[in-house]
Amino acid sequence: MGIASLGIGLGVAALVLGAAGAAIELQYRRRPGNKLELDAGSWQIEKLSPNRISVVGEMEFQNKTDSLEIMLPDVNADVKLLSKGSLEGITSKTRITPLHKDAPARNDGYWFGYIVKVAKTTRMKVAVDIEGENTAELQTAWIKVNYLTYGPEGRIPKTKHIIFPLQYPEVGTGKWRNSPAADVMAIKTHLLTHLDNPVDIVKKYVSPQAQPGDIVTIAESPIAIMQGRYIDPSTIKPGFVAKRLCYYFMPTSSLATACGMQSLVDIVGPVRVVFAFVVGSLAKVILRKPGVFYQLAGEQARLIDDITGTLPPYDQFIVLGPANPQSVVEQIKTETGLSAAIVDVNDLKAVKILAATPDVSQALLEQALLNNPAGNGDEQTPVVLIRPKTGN
């Protein structure tokens, strides 16, 4: 074989290998990975005695791949308790019991490796027993369910956060406050979690003390939390764009950290974020017009709350803005009869209305909420009932 023929042969082989490599890379990028997800489940609390509380939930694993089996070699849970007082003398124990249809649980509580077949599910029971003399002051149980997935991407640990309230306030304890346009009542609720939904909250805490013509407003962060729109920063992997652009934002901004910025990049994409940053910077420097970045980057850019931005234990998470807020207020109106709005209010007399039913006056809301009756601390009053005065 001549040198020319050898060269042609090597060239063809290189092309073939290159094409094969490209096909393999494309297939890899489309990989489903270890897509074994754990849902929030259903939970209930039982006070077994003055000094003992039991919190029990049933949760489901779902293999969301359509071609691969995923193994579940280990599951465990940690519990962090939040209280008004000291936790000294209070203990907690967790028990996890598999509820596989084809394999009974072991008596010794050991979680044995289990295969979740293609597009199948399996369930488990999580029980938390809490004992101590000061259980009456306990407010919240933060349960971290840790599970290990084993599949084509190797061993990948995952965590599902369950935040469960241990105290519920009495209904009807709010007090009316006078404002020029309306009377307002900040309504205390239990710590809202992804196990709640806005309609049920309104029915439980607002409807018993509301009358026709009233307006119910709910803060945007609790709505997002009820939708499960909060992220553990440890699961975020900041990329090139997030690591660099975050330095150009004010330290008080939720986009001033790599993880906070990456949460926006994950929502709208890096191209839109870079475009908004470049155009926004030019508008600020040349035209002396601030805020263009947030207009171009989208609504979520303003609504993201980085860690420390909400009350515990959500101060450990990045909380996004709510999804489809207009549909939420319309559902509240349909199922309760109350006009509704989702708002973002702060102590600087800034009132932003994310969504409202058509019969709500924006001017009335702004006047009624100007002094932020819900507060920005740990008041745990995410709902405000507004009763317009005659003539407004």
Side-chain angles (χ1 to χ4, degrees):
M1 178 181 294
I3 295 177
S5 298
L6 179 61
I8 292 172
L10 291 174
V12 171
L15 288 174
V16 171
L17 289 174
I24 292 172
E25 177 64 19
L26 179 61
Q27 184 64 27
Y28 175 75
R29 291 181 180 274
R30 293 176 177 174
R31 69 198 186 281
N34 294 6
K35 290 189 67 174
L36 184 68
E37 303 298 337
L38 179 61
D39 72 3
S42 58
W43 293 77
Q44 59 185 5
I45 182 173
E46 184 178 359
K47 293 190 176 181
L48 302 177
S49 71
N51 297 329
R52 185 181 175 197
I53 299 173
S54 176
V55 179
V56 179
E58 283 198 17
M59 308 177 73
E60 182 177 83
F61 292 97
Q62 182 178 3
N63 183 350
K64 293 189 175 182
T65 70
D66 56 6
S67 60
L68 299 169
E69 295 181 343
I70 306 296
M71 284 164 269
L72 190 58
D74 187 37
V75 182
N76 61 77
D78 301 318
V79 179
K80 183 182 291 292
L81 299 174
L82 282 72
S83 176
K84 293 180 180 178
S86 171
L87 292 175
E88 186 176 354
I90 295 179
T91 62
S92 64
K93 295 180 180 179
T94 61
R95 300 188 313 278
I96 296 179
T97 306
L99 302 176
H100 309 313
K101 292 180 179 179
D102 55 351
R106 290 171 57 105
N107 293 329
D108 60 4
Y110 176 80
W111 180 279
F112 53 88
Y114 184 78
I115 298 175
V116 186
K117 298 187 181 298
V118 176
K120 297 297 183 180
T121 63
T122 192
R123 299 182 66 80
M124 69 176 180
K125 177 181 177 182
V126 180
V128 181
D129 288 331
I130 305 167
E131 292 189 67
E133 295 183 359
N134 296 320
T135 57
E137 294 188 319
L138 292 176
Q139 294 177 298
T140 309
W142 177 7
I143 306 165
K144 302 177 185 179
V145 182
N146 310 301
Y147 61 104
L148 183 65
T149 65
Y150 188 86
E153 289 193 28
R155 289 165 52 93
I156 298 182
K158 298 185 178 183
T159 300
K160 184 70 175 182
H161 297 271
I162 303 297
I163 298 172
F164 192 86
L166 300 177
Q167 283 193 10
Y168 294 81
E170 293 182 18
V171 176
T173 57
K175 295 182 179 180
W176 288 103
R177 302 180 190 175
N178 183 46
S179 77
D183 292 327
V184 297
M185 178 191 292
I187 297 178
K188 191 176 182 64
T189 70
H190 62 270
L191 180 71
L192 301 179
T193 76
H194 62 300
L195 302 172
D196 296 305
N197 73 74
V199 170
D200 288 344
I201 294 304
V202 172
K203 287 181 177 179
K204 178 174 182 177
Y205 291 106
V206 182
S207 293
Q209 45 199 333
Q211 66 183 33
D214 288 353
I215 305 167
V216 58
T217 68
I218 308 178
E220 48 94 12
S221 289
I223 292 290
I225 286 169
M226 286 187 275
Q227 294 175 334
R229 291 176 59 80
Y230 54 93
I231 306 170
D232 182 348
S234 67
T235 66
I236 296 177
K237 297 179 180 179
F240 180 90
V241 170
K243 288 180 179 179
R244 283 150 182 82
L245 295 192
C246 68
Y247 283 100
Y248 294 92
F249 287 77
M250 295 292 291
T252 54
S253 169
S254 290
L255 303 180
T257 66
C259 289
M261 179 63 77
Q262 185 62 44
S263 66
L264 177 63
V265 171
D266 290 340
I267 295 171
V268 303
V271 174
R272 184 173 178 180
V273 171
V274 171
F275 174 77
F277 176 77
V278 172
V279 176
S281 299
L282 293 174
K284 189 173 183 179
V285 173
I286 298 174
L287 304 178
R288 305 298 181 186
K289 184 178 180 181
V292 173
F293 169 85
Y294 293 97
Q295 296 174 12
L296 297 177
E299 186 78 354
Q300 289 295 326
R302 291 186 182 275
L303 298 177
I304 292 171
D305 281 328
D306 207 345
I307 66 168
T308 75
T310 47
L311 77 169
Y314 297 108
D315 61 333
Q316 303 296 318
F317 296 87
I318 295 173
V319 180
L320 308 178
N324 303 316
Q326 190 61 41
S327 66
V328 174
V329 296
E330 290 172 358
Q331 186 180 14
I332 291 173
K333 175 72 173 179
T334 299
E335 298 195 29
T336 70
L338 288 171
S339 302
I342 296 173
V343 298
D344 183 12
V345 185
N346 61 38
D347 287 336
L348 301 177
K349 297 186 182 297
V351 179
K352 181 174 178 58
I353 302 168
L354 277 63
T357 49
D359 55 350
V360 172
S361 164
Q362 180 167 332
L364 173 66
L365 283 186
E366 291 176 350
Q367 290 178 1
L369 299 175
L370 193 63
N371 292 321
N372 193 15
N376 265 12
D378 59 357
E379 295 90 344
Q380 211 167 295
T381 51
V383 181
V384 173
L385 183 60
I386 300 174
R387 181 162 296 167
K389 293 183 177 179
T390 305
N392 288 303

PDB file of all heavy atoms in Angstrom, residues 126-144:
ATOM      1  N   VAL A 126     -41.942   7.401  56.629  1.00  0.00           N
ATOM      2  CA  VAL A 126     -40.977   8.090  57.468  1.00  0.00           C
ATOM      3  C   VAL A 126     -41.693   8.521  58.746  1.00  0.00           C
ATOM      4  O   VAL A 126     -42.712   9.211  58.692  1.00  0.00           O
ATOM      5  CB  VAL A 126     -40.377   9.317  56.765  1.00  0.00           C
ATOM      6  CG1 VAL A 126     -39.368  10.014  57.666  1.00  0.00           C
ATOM      7  CG2 VAL A 126     -39.737   8.927  55.444  1.00  0.00           C
ATOM      8  N   ALA A 127     -41.176   8.100  59.877  1.00  0.00           N
ATOM      9  CA  ALA A 127     -41.785   8.452  61.169  1.00  0.00           C
ATOM     10  C   ALA A 127     -40.750   9.166  62.029  1.00  0.00           C
ATOM     11  O   ALA A 127     -39.608   8.705  62.159  1.00  0.00           O
ATOM     12  CB  ALA A 127     -42.292   7.204  61.879  1.00  0.00           C
ATOM     13  N   VAL A 128     -41.152  10.294  62.595  1.00  0.00           N
ATOM     14  CA  VAL A 128     -40.289  11.076  63.475  1.00  0.00           C
ATOM     15  C   VAL A 128     -40.959  11.157  64.842  1.00  0.00           C
ATOM     16  O   VAL A 128     -42.068  11.683  64.962  1.00  0.00           O
ATOM     17  CB  VAL A 128     -40.049  12.493  62.922  1.00  0.00           C
ATOM     18  CG1 VAL A 128     -39.132  13.273  63.853  1.00  0.00           C
ATOM     19  CG2 VAL A 128     -39.466  12.429  61.515  1.00  0.00           C
ATOM     20  N   ASP A 129     -40.301  10.623  65.858  1.00  0.00           N
ATOM     21  CA  ASP A 129     -40.805  10.698  67.233  1.00  0.00           C
ATOM     22  C   ASP A 129     -40.016  11.750  67.994  1.00  0.00           C
ATOM     23  O   ASP A 129     -38.781  11.702  68.054  1.00  0.00           O
ATOM     24  CB  ASP A 129     -40.676   9.342  67.930  1.00  0.00           C
ATOM     25  CG  ASP A 129     -41.678   8.329  67.398  1.00  0.00           C
ATOM     26  OD1 ASP A 129     -42.763   8.754  66.958  1.00  0.00           O
ATOM     27  OD2 ASP A 129     -41.366   7.130  67.410  1.00  0.00           O
ATOM     28  N   ILE A 130     -40.733  12.705  68.582  1.00  0.00           N
ATOM     29  CA  ILE A 130     -40.119  13.811  69.304  1.00  0.00           C
ATOM     30  C   ILE A 130     -40.568  13.749  70.761  1.00  0.00           C
ATOM     31  O   ILE A 130     -41.766  13.653  71.041  1.00  0.00           O
ATOM     32  CB  ILE A 130     -40.521  15.162  68.687  1.00  0.00           C
ATOM     33  CG1 ILE A 130     -40.179  15.188  67.188  1.00  0.00           C
ATOM     34  CG2 ILE A 130     -39.850  16.319  69.408  1.00  0.00           C
ATOM     35  CD1 ILE A 130     -40.797  16.339  66.429  1.00  0.00           C
ATOM     36  N   GLU A 131     -39.607  13.792  71.684  1.00  0.00           N
ATOM     37  CA  GLU A 131     -39.932  13.726  73.109  1.00  0.00           C
ATOM     38  C   GLU A 131     -39.179  14.794  73.884  1.00  0.00           C
ATOM     39  O   GLU A 131     -38.066  15.164  73.526  1.00  0.00           O
ATOM     40  CB  GLU A 131     -39.577  12.347  73.681  1.00  0.00           C
ATOM     41  CG  GLU A 131     -40.446  11.220  73.165  1.00  0.00           C
ATOM     42  CD  GLU A 131     -40.198   9.920  73.907  1.00  0.00           C
ATOM     43  OE1 GLU A 131     -40.518   9.855  75.108  1.00  0.00           O
ATOM     44  OE2 GLU A 131     -39.667   8.978  73.279  1.00  0.00           O
ATOM     45  N   GLY A 132     -39.792  15.292  74.955  1.00  0.00           N
ATOM     46  CA  GLY A 132     -39.144  16.275  75.808  1.00  0.00           C
ATOM     47  C   GLY A 132     -40.160  17.099  76.574  1.00  0.00           C
ATOM     48  O   GLY A 132     -41.357  17.087  76.274  1.00  0.00           O
ATOM     49  N   GLU A 133     -39.674  17.850  77.552  1.00  0.00           N
ATOM     50  CA  GLU A 133     -40.572  18.620  78.401  1.00  0.00           C
ATOM     51  C   GLU A 133     -41.061  19.908  77.755  1.00  0.00           C
ATOM     52  O   GLU A 133     -42.076  20.467  78.176  1.00  0.00           O
ATOM     53  CB  GLU A 133     -39.867  18.946  79.727  1.00  0.00           C
ATOM     54  CG  GLU A 133     -39.549  17.715  80.573  1.00  0.00           C
ATOM     55  CD  GLU A 133     -38.919  18.078  81.893  1.00  0.00           C
ATOM     56  OE1 GLU A 133     -38.709  19.301  82.125  1.00  0.00           O
ATOM     57  OE2 GLU A 133     -38.632  17.164  82.689  1.00  0.00           O
ATOM     58  N   ASN A 134     -40.367  20.422  76.771  1.00  0.00           N
ATOM     59  CA  ASN A 134     -40.741  21.702  76.170  1.00  0.00           C
ATOM     60  C   ASN A 134     -41.286  21.544  74.755  1.00  0.00           C
ATOM     61  O   ASN A 134     -41.119  22.436  73.921  1.00  0.00           O
ATOM     62  CB  ASN A 134     -39.526  22.641  76.141  1.00  0.00           C
ATOM     63  CG  ASN A 134     -39.045  23.000  77.524  1.00  0.00           C
ATOM     64  OD1 ASN A 134     -39.846  23.235  78.424  1.00  0.00           O
ATOM     65  ND2 ASN A 134     -37.731  23.035  77.696  1.00  0.00           N
ATOM     66  N   THR A 135     -41.943  20.443  74.468  1.00  0.00           N
ATOM     67  CA  THR A 135     -42.460  20.236  73.111  1.00  0.00           C
ATOM     68  C   THR A 135     -43.547  21.245  72.752  1.00  0.00           C
ATOM     69  O   THR A 135     -43.800  21.485  71.568  1.00  0.00           O
ATOM     70  CB  THR A 135     -43.019  18.811  72.946  1.00  0.00           C
ATOM     71  OG1 THR A 135     -44.039  18.584  73.936  1.00  0.00           O
ATOM     72  CG2 THR A 135     -41.923  17.770  73.098  1.00  0.00           C
ATOM     73  N   ALA A 136     -44.192  21.858  73.736  1.00  0.00           N
ATOM     74  CA  ALA A 136     -45.248  22.833  73.455  1.00  0.00           C
ATOM     75  C   ALA A 136     -44.699  24.077  72.766  1.00  0.00           C
ATOM     76  O   ALA A 136     -45.444  24.811  72.108  1.00  0.00           O
ATOM     77  CB  ALA A 136     -45.957  23.231  74.745  1.00  0.00           C
ATOM     78  N   GLU A 137     -43.379  24.325  72.917  1.00  0.00           N
ATOM     79  CA  GLU A 137     -42.783  25.497  72.291  1.00  0.00           C
ATOM     80  C   GLU A 137     -42.205  25.208  70.914  1.00  0.00           C
ATOM     81  O   GLU A 137     -41.723  26.123  70.236  1.00  0.00           O
ATOM     82  CB  GLU A 137     -41.689  26.062  73.199  1.00  0.00           C
ATOM     83  CG  GLU A 137     -42.219  26.612  74.521  1.00  0.00           C
ATOM     84  CD  GLU A 137     -41.145  27.335  75.300  1.00  0.00           C
ATOM     85  OE1 GLU A 137     -40.003  26.824  75.329  1.00  0.00           O
ATOM     86  OE2 GLU A 137     -41.432  28.400  75.855  1.00  0.00           O
ATOM     87  N   LEU A 138     -42.251  23.951  70.483  1.00  0.00           N
ATOM     88  CA  LEU A 138     -41.720  23.599  69.171  1.00  0.00           C
ATOM     89  C   LEU A 138     -42.567  24.225  68.074  1.00  0.00           C
ATOM     90  O   LEU A 138     -43.795  24.231  68.137  1.00  0.00           O
ATOM     91  CB  LEU A 138     -41.681  22.087  69.000  1.00  0.00           C
ATOM     92  CG  LEU A 138     -40.684  21.325  69.876  1.00  0.00           C
ATOM     93  CD1 LEU A 138     -40.835  19.834  69.675  1.00  0.00           C
ATOM     94  CD2 LEU A 138     -39.252  21.759  69.551  1.00  0.00           C
ATOM     95  N   GLN A 139     -41.904  24.736  67.049  1.00  0.00           N
ATOM     96  CA  GLN A 139     -42.606  25.393  65.955  1.00  0.00           C
ATOM     97  C   GLN A 139     -42.561  24.602  64.651  1.00  0.00           C
ATOM     98  O   GLN A 139     -43.557  24.528  63.942  1.00  0.00           O
ATOM     99  CB  GLN A 139     -42.003  26.786  65.714  1.00  0.00           C
ATOM    100  CG  GLN A 139     -42.209  27.750  66.863  1.00  0.00           C
ATOM    101  CD  GLN A 139     -41.532  29.071  66.586  1.00  0.00           C
ATOM    102  OE1 GLN A 139     -40.311  29.147  66.432  1.00  0.00           O
ATOM    103  NE2 GLN A 139     -42.328  30.127  66.505  1.00  0.00           N
ATOM    104  N   THR A 140     -41.387  24.030  64.348  1.00  0.00           N
ATOM    105  CA  THR A 140     -41.203  23.426  63.033  1.00  0.00           C
ATOM    106  C   THR A 140     -40.280  22.215  63.107  1.00  0.00           C
ATOM    107  O   THR A 140     -39.313  22.220  63.869  1.00  0.00           O
ATOM    108  CB  THR A 140     -40.570  24.453  62.054  1.00  0.00           C
ATOM    109  OG1 THR A 140     -41.310  25.667  62.092  1.00  0.00           O
ATOM    110  CG2 THR A 140     -40.557  23.924  60.627  1.00  0.00           C
ATOM    111  N   ALA A 141     -40.589  21.216  62.299  1.00  0.00           N
ATOM    112  CA  ALA A 141     -39.684  20.089  62.094  1.00  0.00           C
ATOM    113  C   ALA A 141     -39.173  20.157  60.655  1.00  0.00           C
ATOM    114  O   ALA A 141     -39.972  20.152  59.707  1.00  0.00           O
ATOM    115  CB  ALA A 141     -40.397  18.762  62.338  1.00  0.00           C
ATOM    116  N   TRP A 142     -37.865  20.276  60.511  1.00  0.00           N
ATOM    117  CA  TRP A 142     -37.236  20.301  59.188  1.00  0.00           C
ATOM    118  C   TRP A 142     -36.603  18.930  58.968  1.00  0.00           C
ATOM    119  O   TRP A 142     -35.599  18.589  59.575  1.00  0.00           O
ATOM    120  CB  TRP A 142     -36.212  21.423  59.134  1.00  0.00           C
ATOM    121  CG  TRP A 142     -35.444  21.527  57.857  1.00  0.00           C
ATOM    122  CD1 TRP A 142     -35.622  20.838  56.704  1.00  0.00           C
ATOM    123  CD2 TRP A 142     -34.323  22.405  57.620  1.00  0.00           C
ATOM    124  NE1 TRP A 142     -34.719  21.213  55.751  1.00  0.00           N
ATOM    125  CE2 TRP A 142     -33.910  22.171  56.283  1.00  0.00           C
ATOM    126  CE3 TRP A 142     -33.658  23.346  58.396  1.00  0.00           C
ATOM    127  CZ2 TRP A 142     -32.837  22.866  55.729  1.00  0.00           C
ATOM    128  CZ3 TRP A 142     -32.592  24.029  57.832  1.00  0.00           C
ATOM    129  CH2 TRP A 142     -32.191  23.790  56.519  1.00  0.00           C
ATOM    130  N   ILE A 143     -37.214  18.141  58.117  1.00  0.00           N
ATOM    131  CA  ILE A 143     -36.794  16.764  57.883  1.00  0.00           C
ATOM    132  C   ILE A 143     -36.046  16.690  56.557  1.00  0.00           C
ATOM    133  O   ILE A 143     -36.590  17.042  55.505  1.00  0.00           O
ATOM    134  CB  ILE A 143     -38.011  15.815  57.865  1.00  0.00           C
ATOM    135  CG1 ILE A 143     -38.829  15.990  59.148  1.00  0.00           C
ATOM    136  CG2 ILE A 143     -37.572  14.357  57.703  1.00  0.00           C
ATOM    137  CD1 ILE A 143     -40.212  15.380  59.074  1.00  0.00           C
ATOM    138  N   LYS A 144     -34.797  16.250  56.624  1.00  0.00           N
ATOM    139  CA  LYS A 144     -33.991  16.094  55.413  1.00  0.00           C
ATOM    140  C   LYS A 144     -33.907  14.605  55.084  1.00  0.00           C
ATOM    141  O   LYS A 144     -33.240  13.844  55.798  1.00  0.00           O
ATOM    142  CB  LYS A 144     -32.585  16.661  55.621  1.00  0.00           C
ATOM    143  CG  LYS A 144     -32.564  18.128  56.026  1.00  0.00           C
ATOM    144  CD  LYS A 144     -31.141  18.596  56.297  1.00  0.00           C
ATOM    145  CE  LYS A 144     -31.101  20.014  56.809  1.00  0.00           C
ATOM    146  NZ  LYS A 144     -29.723  20.480  57.090  1.00  0.00           N
TER     147      LYS A 144
END
